[in-house]
Amino acid sequence: MNCFENYSLVILNIVLFLWSSRIETCHAREGNLWSLKSISAPANSVLDVEKEKGYGGTAGSSHQHAGRSTMSKFTGNKDMGVDDTMSTPQGGSSKSFNVLDFGAKGDGNTDDSQAFEATWAAACKVEASTMIVPSGSVFLLHYISFSGPDCAADIVFQLDGKIIAPTSPGAWKSGLLQWIEFTKLNGITIQGKGVIDGQGSVWWNNLPTYNPEDSEGIMSAKMPGTKPTVLRFYGSTRVIVTGITIQNSPQTHLKFDDCTTVQVSDFKAASPENSPNTDGIHLQNSQDVLIYSSDLACGDDCVSIQTGCSKVYIHNVNCGPGHGISIGGLGKGNSKACVSNVTVRDVAMLNTLTGVRIKTWQGGSGSVQGVTFSNIQVSGVKTPIMIDQFYCDGSKCQNESSAVAVSDINYINIKGTYTSNPVHLACSDGLPCTGISFSAIELKPVQEDSQPFCWNTYGELRSSTVPPINCLKMGKSSKTVVDC
Ligand SMILES: *[C@@H]1O[C@H](CO)[C@@H](O)[C@H](O)[C@H]1NC(C)=O
Ligand SMILES: *[C@@H]1O[C@H](CO)[C@@H](O)[C@H](O)[C@H]1NC(C)=O
């Protein structure tokens, strides 16, 4: 790198910094996009009430954690008659339930699942309650489900400690799709500085050739064939995940299925580049999803948006290592898939496989409609811009005439460096992509130059691009888009 490049890098950083600080000040306004209801985290109000009542206000307990542990002494009640004895004078709902008071050991060896289940059972009954997983302890949990639908609304799972997964095959049953799940809840928040560690290496290395001697004989058998997602929310509304880290996932880190009004912020996913199928965040059949201020490093898609998702808004996210931000693969096995109104902006991609990608299987139906990718900074990304309507996982995929339609996709201000192809747009013969627009594209090779590739792609260039995207067919495809 010569001096000039160094200099321009500094300028770029300054510009990016000014840019992002401007973005912060606009947060409130942008939160209204897609008319997301602003969801408040009930824990803060709980804490405020505690302070007012003097529970956390004793000398030396100005620190939040101190306030909380003081609180737990008041609520700790081994006979679990917490509900009745702790009603506040106003009949309010400032209720905290600490897993240590329900028998959790937090020593990293004892299975604390039953203590967590008991804590949940108590917290579940009380509106706006807080289940506390305190810092300074490591909790080993087997498969666990924090399940509604009979729970009160607005429960907070305050995670400041560490939760780890078992690594012995005997601790798992086969076919388990997730390790920790929250289902059928109305208002659920997971917040705190805590870490959930899936100890995934025992799954990633679970190859037929795997030698038990490699991990000092701890492994006596293979892990189940199905690798679990670490944390999954199902059938819930008003879901918040903020502050926490999920690391070393056997498979997907964080998944939302059948959820509405989801907010993920200050979230970290951290697994190595070579860990297979470890998506950062996986969305399916979910609407009104906001993901921001998060660092996603993993071995597969940083965010994967699947069928049934609409009004998805992702911004100020770092992605890498990983496979980029992807919509799809959609339409597998001739299925119908619908994704609409997705905005991805202010994302930095570092050394990822793709940048922003839409992938569909041949033979599917439905559509991907109304997607904007803007302000995407790519560095050493293999293929920054990709649409692949011939997606195939390596098994034999025949050409079929039907396809998931792809239309109204906008690429704005996508800049940086690529290592293989700057732009790869492979659209179906039967149903070409249409309404694909580009402006302010500036993609430079790390080493060898490569030209954009387009196949059956219709759209417009709203400004000149680097490199020129001459392969784009101007105008609209005559084939109409199938509605969802
Ligand atoms: C997507 O956005 C368009 C244009 O703003 C709107 O007309 C449409 O209803 C939205 N679709 C969904 C599923 O929200
Ligand atoms: C499928 O179609 C594409 C595009 O027309 C073509 O390049 C490819 O060779 C075809 N594959 C098969 C298996 O027919």
Side-chain angles (χ1 to χ4, degrees):
M1 192 182 277
N2 64 33
C3 287
F4 176 72
E5 279 169 335
N6 253 330
Y7 183 67
S8 50
L9 211 84
V10 169
I11 298 278
L12 183 72
N13 275 328
I14 292 170
V15 168
L16 275 172
F17 172 76
L18 291 175
W19 205 9
S20 55
S21 46
R22 245 189 55 215
I23 283 152
E24 287 308 311
T25 62
C26 304
H27 255 179
R29 203 190 64 216
E30 279 150 4
N32 290 333
L33 204 72
W34 308 129
S35 60
L36 267 159
K37 284 185 209 112
S38 89
I39 340 172
S40 65
N44 293 334
S45 52
V46 168
L47 203 67
D48 289 343
V49 172
E50 287 169 26
K51 278 184 188 145
E52 272 166 35
K53 296 167 82 61
Y55 291 160
T58 49
S61 64
S62 58
H63 191 263
Q64 282 205 342
H65 293 170
R68 284 200 185 97
S69 55
T70 309
M71 184 61 189
S72 71
K73 280 184 196 138
F74 286 85
T75 55
N77 194 333
K78 291 265 195 304
D79 68 22
M80 295 173 200
V82 181
D83 299 12
D84 304 315
T85 55
M86 279 310 294
S87 287
T88 55
Q90 315 94 307
S93 57
S94 86
K95 302 284 182 60
S96 297
F97 303 86
N98 191 321
V99 294
L100 293 177
D101 298 324
F102 287 80
K105 291 281 180 289
D107 59 11
N109 287 313
T110 312
D111 175 11
D112 282 328
S113 309
Q114 280 186 358
F116 273 61
E117 274 161 11
T119 316
W120 176 256
C124 159
K125 293 178 193 150
V126 183
E127 191 174 328
S129 64
T130 301
M131 172 164 166
I132 295 175
V133 181
S135 62
S137 297
V138 180
F139 302 93
L140 177 72
L141 294 188
H142 287 199
Y143 159 79
I144 192 161
S145 177
F146 301 103
S147 174
D150 298 326
C151 291
D154 300 320
I155 299 172
V156 174
F157 190 95
Q158 180 71 37
L159 176 62
D160 291 307
K162 187 172 184 180
I163 293 175
I164 61 171
T167 52
S168 66
W172 297 88
K173 56 178 184 184
S174 64
L176 211 52
L177 295 175
Q178 62 275 325
W179 166 35
I180 301 169
E181 72 170 356
F182 286 82
T183 73
K184 303 196 172 161
L185 293 159
N186 175 18
I188 175 72
T189 295
I190 297 199
Q191 63 179 22
K193 302 255 179 290
V195 173
I196 305 178
D197 192 327
Q199 312 225 66
S201 61
V202 292
W203 300 85
W204 312 327
N205 299 336
N206 201 30
L207 304 169
T209 54
Y210 182 64
N211 178 3
E213 308 301 319
D214 286 353
S215 62
E216 297 156 335
I218 292 166
M219 301 280 296
S220 55
K222 281 179 61 164
M223 303 301 276
T226 306
K227 298 172 184 175
T229 286
V230 163
L231 177 59
R232 178 198 189 218
F233 292 86
Y234 175 75
S236 296
T237 184
R238 296 185 301 110
V239 182
I240 299 177
V241 175
T242 184
I244 67 163
T245 296
I246 298 178
Q247 64 194 29
N248 301 317
S249 179
Q251 214 236 38
T252 295
H253 292 71
L254 175 61
K255 184 170 188 167
F256 299 92
D257 193 354
D258 240 322
C259 292
T260 53
T261 318
V262 172
Q263 191 173 307
V264 177
S265 63
D266 300 302
F267 169 71
K268 270 197 186 65
S271 289
E273 183 167 15
N274 61 1
S275 56
N277 307 116
T278 54
D279 284 348
I281 303 175
H282 189 103
L283 306 174
Q284 190 157 334
N285 292 316
S286 294
Q287 299 86 39
D288 284 309
V289 179
L290 175 60
I291 298 170
Y292 66 96
S293 302
S294 293
D295 289 325
L296 309 174
C298 55
D300 208 306
D301 294 330
C302 289
V303 183
S304 165
I305 301 166
Q306 298 292 333
T307 186
C309 291
S310 63
K311 299 187 194 170
V312 176
Y313 185 29
I314 299 167
H315 70 87
N316 294 87
V317 164
N318 294 315
C319 166
H323 292 183
I325 292 182
S326 298
I327 296 175
L330 302 173
K332 189 178 184 179
N334 304 100
S335 61
K336 181 176 181 180
C338 300
V339 172
S340 66
N341 296 9
V342 176
T343 297
V344 177
R345 70 156 177 82
D346 295 292
V347 171
M349 306 260 185
L350 180 63
N351 299 331
T352 51
L353 180 68
T354 61
V356 289
R357 171 166 61 158
I358 297 171
K359 48 185 181 180
T360 67
W361 296 75
Q362 294 192 70
S365 62
S367 68
V368 178
Q369 253 178 313
V371 179
T372 298
F373 297 112
S374 67
N375 305 348
I376 312 291
Q377 182 69 40
V378 294
S379 307
V381 170
K382 196 169 175 213
T383 307
I385 297 176
M386 181 181 252
I387 297 177
D388 183 6
Q389 286 199 300
F390 298 90
Y391 185 69
C392 186
D393 64 0
S395 54
K396 65 170 192 175
C397 295
Q398 290 179 337
N399 276 345
E400 299 188 48
S401 52
S402 75
V404 178
V406 175
S407 68
D408 186 17
I409 316 294
N410 306 295
Y411 299 92
I412 304 163
N413 194 30
I414 300 186
K415 296 184 176 171
T417 58
Y418 65 89
T419 61
S420 177
N421 298 89
V423 177
H424 182 96
L425 309 168
C427 297
S428 92
D429 297 324
L431 207 49
C433 302
T434 188
I436 314 298
S437 83
F438 295 90
S439 62
I441 307 297
E442 216 177 290
L443 296 167
K444 298 183 172 157
V446 168
Q447 286 183 318
E448 259 175 83
D449 228 41
S450 164
Q451 290 311 303
F453 170 83
C454 317
W455 181 260
N456 288 323
T457 313
Y458 289 80
E460 62 175 316
L461 300 175
R462 294 188 173 150
S463 69
S464 64
T465 63
V466 177
I469 308 177
N470 296 325
C471 56
L472 195 67
K473 296 181 182 176
M474 296 301 139
K476 283 197 186 317
S477 161
S478 56
K479 304 270 181 15
T480 50
V481 168
V482 185
D483 263 334
C484 267

